Amino acid sequence: MFNITRKELDWGGRKLVLETGRMARQADGAVLATYGETVVLCTAVGARQPKPGLDFFPLTVNYQEKTFAAGKIPGGFFKREGRPTEKETLTSRLIDRPIRPLFHKGFRNETQVICTVLSHDLENDPDIVAMVGASAALTLSGLPFMGPIGAARIGYVDGEYVLNPQMSELPSSKLDLVVAGTQEGVLMVESEASELSEEVMLGAVNFGHEQMQPVIDAIIDMAEDAAKEPREVPEEPELKGQLYSELQKDFGDRIAAAYAIADKVERQAALDDVRTAAEESLGEDEEKLALFRGLFKDLESDVVRGQILKTGQRIDGRDTRTVRPIVSETGILPRAHGSALFTRGETQAMVAATLGTGQDEQIVDSLEGEFRQHFMLHYNFPPYSVGEAGRVGTPGRREIGHGKLAWRALNPILPSKEDFPYTIRLVSEITESNGSSSMATVCGSSLAMMDAGVPLPRAVAGIAMGLIKEGDDYAVISDILGDEDHLGDMDFKVAGTEVGVTSLQMDIKITSITREIMQIALDQAKEGRTHILGEMAKAIGSARDSVSGNAPKITSISVPKDKIRDLIGTGGKVIREICETTGAKIDIEDDGSVKVAATSDSSMQEALNWIESIVAEPEVGKIYSGKVVKIMDFGAFVNFLGPRDGLVHISQLAQERVGKVEDVVKEGAEVKVKVIGLDDRGKVKLSMKAVDQESGEDLQEAEETA
């Protein structure tokens, strides 16, 4: 019944298995990829006919994790997987980025890749398995995919590169880098690093490219046995070349003149005028009009790229290495705990930092288990930032991806939770955009945290690099504009400190780039990053000495583990009463660590005193204020230290002989007592007669001194 094709190889010390022919046989391509005990089903389907009127490739990638893969049932009311998690969204982008540029340029059929995690061994991350499986499924599908690609995760432990480190190994690694590429070269890089040098980062990329080659070979072998017949791709109409020549002749100079305008808004207006005139020149010819939009974009691209390669001069008049003018400002929002406005040319990020307590941490429920995140960065890209009116709602894939890139750039240099026990939330509002708003977010976030008093050891900056490549000629350009991003061949983002790189992201729109080009891009990025750090230092050179007055103050203390129950109380009654009465927030860890957060010193001290009274042990000879809670014939019980009571024997009530306890004290009376010892059962013995009830003076001590 099944015609199964299976390929196995040892890869990074574990077995990688690619199988087709048993599951999802009605998809154009379907591969079950297994690595260790992590299993991902990857499918690829392409529509038989192109969508009319499209001038782009309609590709959708969906990576989805099923909770049964880790033996779990979804939380919440519905008990069913819902909207994509951040991990699913980021992995979908991770798969999309290297495969998209490898489809035939003229292919316009709607295409969907779905990768479903069926089993997760909690050691091998499914993202790499999904990337390999998606590549294999596309290669078998018959779609015009010029792959396959391979992918690998690279760690860096004790000065050595590690292929596909297991999840338990990553905390000890100074690098978490994912690289994807073809046999010829690298197509995509995504990474987080602990201030590593450019040489180490480039070495990791090249190591990953070498190590993925056996996987690419296995996919090719599989395709020779099981691939479907390639689909025919419509040939370019003869009219297309003729129409391009006409447009170039009649409007090429006008497009070049429009791109010579430095201001983005004015430039776009001029281009719109040229585009309208060019379209009107075609009259009612529907065949030409159908080709027009794509051809005009090609013409724009050729004009801009040719100008850079011939003269080294860019759209806004800069050379290939110059960074646009920068203005950095901090403290722009009076009530925020920290804020910054970072402006680079026509790109601007307004970033606000908010400091919270442990109760503000984000709880993440993933296949690997539930964990808490005390650093969050949220990136927003409102339509007004590019002069448009558009939808405002939940963040899209792009916003989630850009926010995570900035998060990765900043996370390696954050102080530990023990050294700085705050939850940190950054919100980046892109108020203007013309190229690399994610790197502006990195810069603005670094400034906002230093303004908030987060003790960063060094500032972090980011820069976006571009590439124009025609044949053997190429130009690497620093601090790219939006148009240079769209019309160029590479988007290469590098973030880091003066010490080293903290994050690197690269997307290639051509088949691959060489090691030489990557080396030039990294060196040029370092030069640009150093310049940006210098401009940022003009606003704030280091973190402020203390957190903002608007932020909560956090004090950490340690209590005995056996006192945690007393501090929490039955059903949380005690801790709730402390918080409601003092206004403080209290977080208690299992190891006895207690963090008290309050916005005023008086609230903080009141909460600390209350906690101290609950967990403290009574000291013999010390005087306490207490309250009579029970009267007995032989004495009075006094609550004097948190929940602790002690007995004032009738003989210790007053200097003179007492006949009845009620003659001296009543229930509810406030009294001062001295601890005079413990009885055989560990009960506290108290004395009232040893203390002046008016002044609180120790009468025994005064008598001995006299």
Side-chain angles (χ1 to χ4, degrees):
M1 182 175 181
F2 300 117
N3 184 18
I4 298 174
T5 302
R6 182 183 176 96
K7 298 295 177 182
E8 296 184 10
L9 69 153
D10 184 77
W11 191 41
R14 280 144 281 162
K15 184 183 290 185
L16 173 66
V17 181
L18 302 176
E19 177 191 289
T20 188
R22 184 157 60 106
M23 298 176 68
R25 291 173 295 161
Q26 295 184 47
D28 290 324
V31 170
L32 191 69
T34 303
Y35 194 46
E37 292 184 349
T38 294
V39 182
V40 184
L41 174 64
C42 302
T43 61
V45 174
R48 292 294 165 180
Q49 298 297 327
K51 274 195 171 183
L54 286 185
D55 62 347
F56 64 93
F57 174 40
L59 170 67
T60 304
V61 177
N62 297 103
Y63 167 88
Q64 49 194 20
E65 296 181 335
K66 300 298 183 181
T67 58
F68 62 72
K72 298 172 62 177
I73 294 175
F77 182 77
F78 293 103
K79 299 300 176 187
R80 181 171 185 158
E81 292 85 357
R83 59 177 295 179
T85 64
E86 182 180 273
K87 168 70 181 295
E88 290 172 313
T89 298
L90 293 170
T91 305
S92 297
R93 283 172 53 88
L94 206 62
I95 300 167
D96 183 300
R97 286 158 47 196
I99 65 174
R100 185 177 291 271
L102 294 181
F103 280 87
H104 189 280
K105 189 176 180 182
F107 190 60
R108 295 289 183 267
N109 300 31
E110 187 169 4
T111 302
Q112 185 176 41
V113 175
I114 299 178
C115 300
T116 307
V117 180
L118 304 180
S119 176
H120 189 359
D121 60 12
L122 307 183
E123 282 295 344
N124 297 290
D125 198 311
D127 56 2
I128 298 296
V129 186
M131 294 176 76
V132 170
S135 169
L138 286 167
T139 304
L140 301 182
S141 67
L143 297 172
F145 174 68
M146 309 308 167
I149 66 163
R153 170 171 274 107
I154 306 301
Y156 191 65
V157 180
D158 297 330
E160 298 289 336
Y161 296 120
V162 180
L163 173 63
N164 295 334
Q166 295 188 335
M167 300 178 76
S168 59
E169 297 175 298
L170 277 176
S172 61
S173 175
K174 292 185 176 181
L175 175 67
D176 181 3
L177 180 143
V178 174
V179 58
T182 61
Q183 286 181 323
E184 291 76 28
V186 174
L187 283 170
M188 187 276 297
V189 177
E190 185 79 44
S191 65
E192 178 183 336
S194 299
E195 297 183 288
L196 298 177
S197 69
E198 280 75 8
E199 290 73 23
V200 171
M201 296 298 291
L202 182 57
V205 173
N206 290 318
F207 177 78
H209 184 247
E210 293 168 3
Q211 296 299 317
M212 70 176 70
Q213 296 309 311
V215 177
I216 296 175
D217 293 339
I219 295 173
I220 293 173
D221 289 345
M222 187 179 221
E224 291 176 352
D225 296 335
K228 295 182 178 178
E229 286 298 317
R231 292 197 194 179
E232 290 188 7
V233 179
E235 294 183 3
E236 296 282 344
E238 291 184 13
L239 177 63
K240 189 171 184 179
Q242 178 187 339
L243 181 57
Y244 179 85
S245 298
E246 291 175 5
L247 291 172
Q248 186 180 42
K249 177 183 176 182
D250 297 337
F251 298 98
D253 291 341
R254 291 181 62 180
I255 291 174
Y259 271 111
I261 300 172
D263 182 81
K264 177 186 175 183
V265 175
E266 294 179 16
R267 181 171 65 251
Q268 288 181 334
L271 283 169
D272 286 342
D273 291 341
V274 179
R275 189 180 295 108
T276 301
E279 189 169 11
E280 290 175 350
S281 72
L282 303 179
E284 302 295 326
D285 191 327
E286 292 187 2
E287 189 177 0
K288 287 185 176 180
L289 289 172
L291 296 171
F292 172 74
R293 285 186 61 187
L295 285 177
F296 194 84
K297 285 183 179 179
D298 291 343
L299 185 54
E300 286 184 76
S301 176
D302 291 344
V303 167
V304 172
R305 295 162 64 88
Q307 180 76 7
I308 293 174
L309 288 174
K310 288 175 185 175
T311 68
Q313 187 172 352
R314 297 157 64 181
I315 293 171
D316 56 1
R318 286 181 292 152
D319 61 25
T320 57
R321 307 179 81 95
T322 301
V323 176
R324 288 171 288 174
I326 292 172
V327 177
S328 301
E329 304 169 71
T330 58
I332 63 168
L333 303 177
R335 295 295 295 176
H337 300 161
S339 59
L341 186 68
F342 179 82
T343 308
R344 186 191 60 241
E346 295 169 309
T347 296
Q348 186 179 76
M350 190 281 295
V351 184
T354 307
L355 304 180
T357 69
Q359 296 177 23
D360 298 309
E361 290 179 341
Q362 183 177 18
I363 301 173
V364 181
D365 186 16
S366 68
L367 286 187
E368 294 81 13
E370 185 178 286
F371 64 92
R372 291 177 174 265
Q373 183 60 258
H374 77 284
F375 173 47
M376 296 163 278
L377 193 155
H378 298 141
Y379 166 102
N380 297 311
F381 192 86
Y384 67 76
S385 65
V386 288
E388 296 177 356
R391 183 188 71 90
V392 176
T394 55
R397 287 188 173 190
R398 179 182 179 277
E399 289 175 300
I400 292 173
H402 278 37
K404 190 63 174 182
L405 171 59
W407 185 95
R408 289 192 181 103
L410 295 159
N411 186 55
I413 55 93
L414 289 181
S416 68
K417 192 175 176 183
E418 290 71 29
D419 294 335
F420 190 72
Y422 286 89
T423 296
I424 304 169
R425 183 191 183 219
L426 298 170
V427 178
S428 175
E429 296 287 337
I430 304 304
T431 50
E432 296 180 30
S433 180
N434 185 15
S436 193
S437 55
S438 61
M439 295 296 95
T441 293
V442 172
C443 300
S445 296
S446 175
L447 292 168
M449 283 197 287
M450 290 194 290
D451 184 51
V454 179
L456 303 183
R458 287 166 291 280
V460 184
I463 185 170
M465 312 297 294
L467 173 71
I468 306 296
K469 188 174 186 294
E470 295 288 350
D472 293 332
D473 293 334
Y474 65 86
V476 175
I477 52 180
S478 299
D479 181 25
I480 56 176
L481 300 173
D483 287 332
E484 291 170 337
D485 185 4
H486 303 147
L487 304 177
D489 297 320
M490 176 180 75
D491 184 10
F492 190 98
K493 297 183 175 76
V494 186
T497 67
E498 60 186 14
V499 173
V501 175
T502 56
S503 182
L504 188 155
Q505 184 188 81
M506 181 176 72
D507 290 299
I508 304 299
K509 301 171 189 175
I510 52 180
T511 53
S512 63
I513 63 170
T514 64
R515 178 189 177 102
E516 178 191 11
I517 293 176
M518 281 193 287
Q519 182 68 65
I520 292 171
L522 280 168
D523 292 342
Q524 205 165 306
K526 184 177 182 180
E527 175 188 306
R529 185 174 82 241
T530 302
H531 168 74
I532 296 169
L533 287 168
E535 294 297 304
M536 291 167 58
K538 294 176 182 178
I540 184 170
S542 59
R544 303 203 187 281
D545 294 336
S546 60
V547 298
S548 163
N550 296 327
K553 307 296 186 295
I554 297 181
T555 299
S556 298
I557 60 173
S558 182
V559 303
K561 291 183 181 180
D562 59 354
K563 296 291 184 180
I564 293 176
R565 179 181 297 178
D566 295 335
L567 184 55
I568 295 174
T570 305
K573 178 182 178 181
V574 175
I575 196 72
R576 194 163 50 246
E577 182 183 4
I578 298 174
C579 292
E580 290 173 355
T581 303
T582 66
K585 290 184 178 181
I586 301 172
D587 295 317
I588 305 172
E589 303 291 342
D590 292 339
D591 63 356
S593 300
V594 178
K595 295 182 179 66
V596 182
T599 53
S600 69
D601 292 339
S602 59
S603 176
M604 171 75 74
Q605 197 57 52
E606 185 180 359
L608 289 173
N609 291 342
W610 199 327
I611 294 171
E612 180 67 24
S613 70
I614 294 173
V615 303
E617 292 293 335
E619 298 180 31
V620 176
K622 188 172 181 179
I623 294 174
Y624 299 89
S625 295
K627 184 177 183 179
V628 177
V629 292
K630 193 173 184 180
I631 300 291
M632 304 294 289
D633 292 341
F634 51 83
F637 285 97
V638 176
N639 174 237
F640 70 100
L641 189 61
R644 187 180 288 274
D645 296 341
L647 174 65
V648 181
H649 191 266
I650 192 170
S651 63
Q652 293 293 327
L653 285 171
Q655 296 290 346
E656 64 277 4
R657 185 178 182 280
V658 176
K660 291 178 63 179
V661 174
E662 290 89 339
D663 293 341
V664 180
V665 291
K666 306 288 190 219
E667 280 193 18
E670 301 287 341
V671 297
K672 295 179 176 60
V673 294
K674 179 179 180 179
V675 178
I676 57 175
L678 302 174
D679 63 17
D680 296 338
R681 295 177 298 171
K683 302 295 184 182
V684 181
K685 296 190 290 184
L686 303 173
S687 172
M688 285 177 56
K689 74 177 185 180
V691 186
D692 187 312
Q693 293 300 308
E694 294 293 330
S695 65
E697 180 185 2
D698 188 333
L699 297 178
Q700 284 184 336
E701 189 176 277
E703 184 178 326
E704 291 171 2
T705 303

